[in-house]
Amino acid sequence: MKVKQAIRKIIILGGGTAGWMAAAALANNPVFAAIELCLVESDNIGNIGVGEGSTPHLKRFMDNLGISEKDWMERCHASYKTGIDFINWNGDGQQYFHPFYFQMDVKPAEVFFINANARRRGHGNAVKPDAFFSSGVLAKHNLSPRPNKAMPYINEYGYHFDATELANYLKDYACQRGVRQIIADVVEVSTSPNQQIETLILANGERLSADFFIDASGFSAKLIHKALGVPFQSFADELLNDSAVTVPVLMEPIQTQAQQAKYHTRATALSAGWLWQIPLTHRLGNGYVYSSRHLSANAAAKELLHSVNLPESTQVRFLKLRVGVSDKAWHNNVLAIGLAQSFIEPLEATSIMMTQFTLERFMSLFERYQLNKQAETLSRQTLNQAVMQLVLGIKDYIQAHYVTSQRSEPYWVAARKVAISQRLTQLLKAWYQGEDFDLLLYQYDQQLAYFRPSWYALLAGMDYHDPKLKRPFEPISADITAQAISYCQTLVEQYFQPKHS
């Protein structure tokens, strides 16, 4: 079989976090050492900058680049993240914590699972995950997830950060390793008869050619959608939030130390969506993600400012969100990443994780992709299937927050009635009717973006159950429950308490 011509040049279109993540990752990978890497970005397009939180996956990405955590965090005003506090999602003033789960939580988590199963089968009171996971205890006491002494296992945590500064940090990293940056506006894209991207035509008339392109052009998706015509699958009728309004609150130096002690994201339900609050070292990021079908932009801004105790005259920033996924992330000689590929609202901070997942899968397939036409086709199919599966798995989990809510505003009633997948339907039905939920999780294991601890945290945290149901179940003793809670508290005291507290 004829060997393909080797790829000699790759152009990344678009900077921002996604584009510079790609540039940094490829520049650091020996597989791409002989390939010319170039990133083209416009200085007329601002970053969306919504993604200011991460899952624990980002730590692996930065570690793989050989970047010091202290160095990048300091420059990006980053703080540690133990999880997400969900506030008032049932309209009853209650809240629950979605923790990051690690190996030392295994035993107390099992006690939580048993108590949650008892509750949904009609035995016992509501049970929340907060006290059964070490990160939940850390959040309660505003403690960093970085231990003060060596632990038997590596704990899991995410970050909060300034997205613009993270992009700038990765840009410096990539350019120091040979990536060429071109600041220009792309006014036209030329394609070959067989629908391969050939050249990008810049505003000054210059033509840039490459063998392969990475589309990081944001919601405009200039290459994957506009040039190649790959269809976009909208989730607008399944996830109603299509807009956001944001306002940062800068902290005075005297406040910084106190504010910095907040190591978790807050997600507070409002009348037509939810409010994020993300603590950085120098400011608190606030944003209201909402449905424009249920709330005007001005009303959303007013509700946001009232929620964070700012005057109505405060300047805010409005964003439009395109929620959905490209039918193919990789088509012909274009790989779409970031917002050009997919966007699920930022409720669980999955956007950067999706970019990282796509890049890691692409890099693992790249050498095989270059072998021949058969390997090329198989590589694209493999990546596209994996990306779509992850996106749909994330969508299921995000929808579960809404369809289990008991809030009564028109937006929440509509959000509860959206179409959901057969998989999510079965999972929710099994939970609500007291059936074997864990068996379903096992059966769907390869298709789910979130696993057992997260599903239990959400469904038990929302106290999703049939109040009339009574099925046989042997609850765990109060003593064992108390021991599990005490174990997590002791773990935190042993490894995470400040040395001079």
Side-chain angles (χ1 to χ4, degrees):
M1 190 172 285
K2 186 179 178 182
V3 176
K4 285 178 58 189
Q5 183 176 338
I7 289 175
R8 293 166 296 180
K9 182 177 181 181
I10 295 175
I11 289 179
I12 302 163
L13 176 60
T17 309
W20 287 112
M21 280 180 74
L26 269 57
N28 183 59
N29 190 323
V31 170
F32 297 85
I35 297 174
E36 181 183 351
L37 301 173
C38 176
L39 186 145
V40 181
E41 64 178 334
S42 171
D43 57 2
N44 296 318
I45 302 173
N47 294 333
I48 293 291
V50 168
E52 295 192 316
S54 84
T55 66
H57 295 279
L58 183 61
K59 185 177 190 305
R60 185 182 73 235
F61 182 84
M62 302 302 274
D63 287 348
N64 286 343
L65 295 181
I67 292 173
S68 154
E69 185 176 75
K70 182 180 183 299
D71 186 51
W72 82 261
M73 287 185 69
E74 190 171 302
R75 179 160 157 192
C76 300
H77 310 293
S79 64
Y80 293 108
K81 174 182 172 182
T82 54
I84 306 172
D85 210 8
F86 287 88
I87 301 167
N88 207 23
W89 277 70
N90 274 326
D92 55 4
Q94 296 294 308
Q95 61 194 75
Y96 74 91
F97 192 71
H98 181 186
F100 293 134
Y101 174 70
F102 76 110
Q103 203 161 347
M104 289 187 75
D105 290 327
V106 169
K107 290 182 179 179
E110 283 299 328
V111 176
F112 164 63
F113 299 151
I114 294 170
N115 278 303
N117 283 322
R119 172 65 171 174
R120 69 188 182 90
R121 286 171 173 153
H123 304 272
N125 299 319
V127 55
K128 299 187 187 304
D130 310 39
F132 296 91
F133 295 85
S134 53
S135 61
V137 179
L138 288 169
K140 179 182 177 181
H141 296 290
N142 291 323
L143 294 172
S144 166
R146 287 283 292 177
N148 289 319
K149 59 183 177 181
M151 298 181 69
Y153 304 104
I154 297 173
N155 62 320
E156 295 281 336
Y157 56 82
Y159 305 99
H160 307 112
F161 48 84
D162 185 314
T164 300
E165 288 301 327
L166 179 60
N168 288 336
Y169 187 97
L170 293 172
K171 171 168 61 178
D172 290 348
Y173 177 96
C175 291
Q176 288 166 9
R177 285 157 181 78
V179 176
R180 179 187 172 204
Q181 179 196 23
I182 297 175
I183 299 176
D185 292 317
V186 174
V187 295
E188 191 178 340
V189 179
S190 71
T191 58
S192 66
N194 63 343
Q195 282 296 288
Q196 303 275 333
I197 302 289
E198 288 190 329
T199 57
L200 307 182
I201 303 166
L202 308 183
N204 64 4
E206 185 180 354
R207 303 172 71 93
L208 299 177
S209 301
D211 307 298
F212 195 91
F213 295 82
I214 295 178
D215 189 351
S217 61
F219 287 138
S220 65
K222 287 185 178 180
L223 303 183
I224 198 75
H225 295 149
K226 289 183 178 175
L228 296 186
V230 173
F232 177 75
Q233 191 180 135
S234 174
F235 296 155
D237 293 330
E238 299 161 90
L239 291 166
L240 303 183
N241 296 338
D242 60 357
S243 305
V245 54
T246 70
V247 61
V249 177
L250 293 176
M251 290 183 278
E252 299 295 330
I254 196 168
Q255 296 176 308
T256 303
Q257 189 172 354
Q259 289 286 355
Q260 198 173 344
K262 304 278 193 283
Y263 292 105
H264 56 276
T265 302
R266 287 187 174 90
T268 305
L270 298 180
S271 69
W274 58 278
L275 163 71
W276 81 69
Q277 292 184 287
I278 295 178
L280 307 186
T281 58
H282 68 312
R283 65 172 165 80
L284 184 67
N286 305 286
Y288 185 6
V289 182
Y290 66 96
S291 163
S292 64
R293 284 171 277 186
H294 296 86
L295 195 67
S296 70
N298 286 337
K302 186 175 180 179
E303 190 174 359
L304 167 66
L305 293 171
H306 174 74
S307 299
V308 298
N309 298 313
L310 290 175
E312 288 186 23
S313 58
T314 305
Q315 189 173 357
V316 298
R317 181 184 179 203
F318 294 99
L319 301 170
K320 291 301 292 182
L321 310 175
R322 186 190 68 159
V323 182
V325 61
S326 174
D327 275 0
K328 296 177 182 177
W330 187 354
H331 183 60
N332 294 345
N333 65 337
V334 172
L335 173 72
I337 61 172
L339 303 180
Q341 176 212 99
S342 61
F343 182 72
I344 304 288
E345 61 165 86
L347 186 59
E348 291 282 352
T350 52
S351 186
I352 284 177
M353 181 187 77
M354 276 303 313
T355 297
Q356 180 180 340
F357 175 85
T358 305
L359 288 170
E360 289 174 353
R361 188 57 60 97
F362 171 70
M363 291 188 294
S364 72
L365 292 166
F366 187 74
E367 286 185 293
R368 186 175 75 179
Y369 162 76
Q370 293 199 94
L371 292 176
N372 52 54
K373 283 292 182 183
Q374 183 178 352
E376 174 186 320
T377 301
L378 183 60
S379 298
R380 282 197 295 256
Q381 288 174 346
T382 300
L383 182 137
N384 287 334
Q385 182 180 2
V387 166
M388 184 62 75
Q389 183 169 288
L390 182 55
V391 168
L392 295 180
I394 292 170
K395 184 183 75 168
D396 277 352
Y397 190 72
I398 298 299
Q399 283 185 306
H401 293 76
Y402 296 99
V403 298
T404 59
S405 171
Q406 297 304 306
R407 291 184 69 110
S408 59
E409 297 96 330
Y411 160 84
W412 289 91
V413 172
R416 212 161 33 243
K417 294 179 178 178
V418 298
I420 61 177
S421 69
Q422 181 183 2
R423 177 174 60 225
L424 180 56
T425 300
Q426 290 177 340
L427 286 168
L428 294 179
K429 176 175 174 285
W431 181 278
Y432 195 77
Q433 295 184 356
E435 296 169 358
D436 194 339
F437 184 73
D438 291 314
L439 177 62
L440 265 185
L441 287 181
Y442 176 77
Q443 290 172 349
Y444 283 126
D445 180 64
Q446 297 302 313
Q447 301 173 37
L448 297 173
Y450 289 84
F451 303 109
R452 192 184 187 205
S454 293
W455 282 104
Y456 270 82
L458 192 167
L459 297 174
M462 294 294 284
D463 197 20
Y464 184 65
H465 73 290
D466 180 353
K468 299 175 183 177
L469 184 69
K470 199 81 170 177
R471 296 187 68 160
F473 191 82
E474 187 174 338
I476 205 164
S477 74
D479 283 348
I480 292 177
T481 297
Q483 287 173 26
I485 292 171
S486 176
Y487 170 85
C488 284
Q489 186 67 43
T490 301
L491 185 69
V492 166
E493 290 172 358
Q494 182 178 356
Y495 291 105
F496 298 95
Q497 285 283 9
K499 292 175 182 175
H500 304 292
S501 62

